[in-house]
C-alpha cells in the first residue's frame, strides 16, 4: 500500500490538481507529501506514517479522500482498498478459490459459442479451459502443460506471442495491469508469477514497477495469426461469480471476413 501511494503521488503534478507550480523547478516529480495531505484533509504526520508503512489500518474514509486527491480511477481505488485490507491483516474484500473446478455450464458455453475462441480464466489469467478455437488462436499454448497455461505468461515468455499480437506493447501493458489488480486477492500465487516473469523478462519487470492497475472489461485485439492472417476481434469478459472464474470470448459478427476467418480456424482444429 505504501509503495503504491508513493508511486501514485510521484505521477501526479501540482497542475493536475489545481495547485500552483511555483517559480522554482522541483527536485522530485509529483506532489509533495504536505500537498497531498492537504488535498485529502489529513495531517502531514498521519499521511507520512501511511506512506512509510507505520500506519497499517487507515479508514475507508481516509483512503477515499486519498484516492480522490490522487485522481485514482475506480479500479485503482478498489485496488487501494484491497491493499489496505492486506496491510491491516483483514480478510480480503474479494475471495477466490484456487482449485475450484470449471463448472459444467461454463464448459457447455465454450462449445456453444464456437467458432468464437473462448476461454475460462482464473483471476490471475490461468487458462482453466478453452474450446478448440481458443487453443488454436494462441499457437503453442497447447504445447505447455495445463498448469503452465497462463495468458500473461504466454504474452511474455512464449516465442510466438510477440508476432501473434499485432499491438504487443498494449497487450503486455494490459496484462501486467491486470496482474497488479488481481494480486492482493491472491498474493502468494501472484507474487510467484510476477517473480518468475520479472526474472525472465526485463520488459515485464519494467512494467511491474509502474504499479498500473485497471480491470479489462472488453475491447478489441488485433492478431497476426500464422494460419488465418491479420484479424481484429472484439472480446468480451464475463465475470462468473465469487470464485474468480471469468469467461473470455473473442468474436466477430456473422457474414464478416473476420467471422469467415474464425470459421477457417475452426476447420483447422477439426482437421487436426
Amino acid at each position: 500500500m505504501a509503495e503504491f501511494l508513493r508511486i501514485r503521488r510521484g505521477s501526479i503534478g501540482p497542475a493536475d490538481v489545481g495547485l500552483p507550480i511555483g517559480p522554482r523547478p522541483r527536485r522530485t516529480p509529483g506532489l509533495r507529501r504536505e500537498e497531498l495531505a492537504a488535498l485529502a484533509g489529513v495531517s502531514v504526520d498521519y499521511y507520512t506514517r501511511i506512506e512509510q508503512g507505520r500506519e497499517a489500518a487507515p479508514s475507508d474514509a481516509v483512503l477515499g479522500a486519498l484516492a480522490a486527491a490522487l485522481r485514482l480511477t475506480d479500479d485503482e481505488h478498489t485496488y487501494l482498498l484491497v491493499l489496505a485490507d492486506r496491510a491491516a491483516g483483514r480478510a480480503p474484500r474479494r475471495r477466490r478459490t484456487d482449485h475450484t473446478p470449471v463448472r459444467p455450464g461454463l464448459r457447455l458455453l465454450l462449445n456453444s459459442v464456437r467458432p468464437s475462441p473462448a476461454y475460462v480464466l482464473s483471476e490471475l489469467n490461468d487458462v482453466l479451459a478453452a474450446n478448440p478455437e481458443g487453443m488454436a488462436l494462441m499457437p503453442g499454448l497447447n504445447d505447455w502443460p495445463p498448469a503452465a497455461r497462463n495468458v500473461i505468461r504466454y504474452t511474455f515468455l512464449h516465442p510466438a506471442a510477440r508476432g501473434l499480437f499485432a499491438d504487443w506493447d498494449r497487450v503486455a501493458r494490459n496484462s501486467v495491469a491486470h496482474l497488479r489488480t488481481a494480486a492482493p486477492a491472491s498474493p502468494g500465487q501472484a507474487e510467484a508469477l510476477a517473480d518468475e516473469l520479472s526474472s525472465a523478462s526485463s520488459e515485464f519487470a519494467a512494467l511491474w514497477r509502474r504499479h498500473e492497475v485497471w480491470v479489462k472489461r472488453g475491447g478489441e485485439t488485433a492478431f497476426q495469426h500464422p494460419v488465418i492472417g491479420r484479424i481484429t476481434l472484439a472480446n468480451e469478459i464475463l465475470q462468473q461469480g465469487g470464485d474468480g472464474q471469468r469467461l473470455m470470448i473473442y468474436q466477430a459478427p456473422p457474414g464478416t471476413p473476420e467471422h469467415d476467418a474464425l470459421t477457417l480456424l475452426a476447420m483447422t482444429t477439426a482437421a487436426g
Side-chain angles (χ1 to χ4, degrees):
M1 178 176 66
E3 184 180 6
F4 179 69
L5 287 171
R6 284 195 300 271
I7 290 173
R8 282 294 171 266
R9 179 170 64 83
S11 67
I12 186 170
D16 297 324
V17 294
L19 294 177
I21 299 176
R24 297 180 181 178
R26 296 187 172 219
R27 286 178 292 181
T28 56
L31 294 174
R32 298 186 177 101
R33 284 176 179 166
E34 57 267 27
E35 291 171 334
L36 178 54
L39 288 168
V42 299
S43 71
V44 178
D45 176 68
Y46 185 65
Y47 176 72
T48 300
R49 285 190 283 120
I50 294 174
E51 196 175 276
Q52 291 178 344
R54 295 185 287 118
E55 172 55 66
S59 68
D60 283 3
V62 168
L63 294 171
L66 290 172
L70 289 168
R71 304 297 196 264
L72 298 187
T73 65
D74 289 343
D75 292 338
E76 290 168 338
H77 186 186
T78 300
Y79 178 73
L80 178 61
L81 293 174
V82 176
L83 289 178
D85 287 341
R86 183 180 176 189
R90 296 188 293 259
R93 295 163 197 251
R94 293 180 300 134
R95 292 184 176 271
R96 68 185 296 270
T97 304
D98 295 330
H99 303 294
T100 301
V102 177
R103 296 190 299 278
L106 286 181
R107 292 190 181 276
L108 181 60
L109 268 176
L110 291 177
N111 284 320
S112 299
V113 299
R114 297 182 67 185
S116 296
Y119 312 82
V120 178
L121 303 175
S122 74
E123 201 159 30
L124 299 184
N125 274 5
D126 298 315
V127 179
L128 305 178
N131 62 17
E133 292 81 2
M135 298 306 293
L137 185 64
M138 297 187 186
L141 180 63
N142 202 34
D143 296 335
W144 284 358
R149 295 172 190 166
N150 176 282
V151 176
I152 304 171
R153 180 184 286 115
Y154 180 87
T155 300
F156 284 92
L157 299 189
H158 200 285
R162 195 174 293 268
L164 175 68
F165 296 114
D167 190 354
W168 184 90
D169 290 340
R170 183 177 67 86
V171 172
R173 187 180 175 196
N174 284 340
S175 296
V176 177
H178 173 84
L179 184 58
R180 268 290 181 199
T181 306
S186 184
Q189 286 186 315
E191 183 177 353
L193 180 58
D195 287 347
E196 173 197 344
L197 297 181
S198 293
S199 297
S201 169
S202 60
E203 290 164 303
F204 177 91
L207 288 169
W208 186 248
R209 288 192 295 267
R210 291 168 65 170
H211 280 256
E212 292 180 326
V213 295
W214 59 73
V215 176
K216 182 173 171 57
R217 296 181 172 88
E220 289 188 341
T221 303
F223 298 88
Q224 185 63 52
H225 195 273
V227 175
I228 58 176
R230 180 68 179 249
I231 184 173
T232 298
L233 298 173
N235 60 77
E236 292 293 337
I237 301 174
L238 308 177
Q239 195 75 33
Q240 295 303 307
D243 56 9
Q245 294 182 5
R246 296 169 300 130
L247 182 68
M248 181 171 74
I249 305 172
Y250 288 103
Q251 56 186 339
T256 62
E258 291 78 11
H259 192 273
D260 292 343
L262 291 181
T263 302
L264 174 62
L265 187 67
M267 293 171 62
T268 67
T269 65

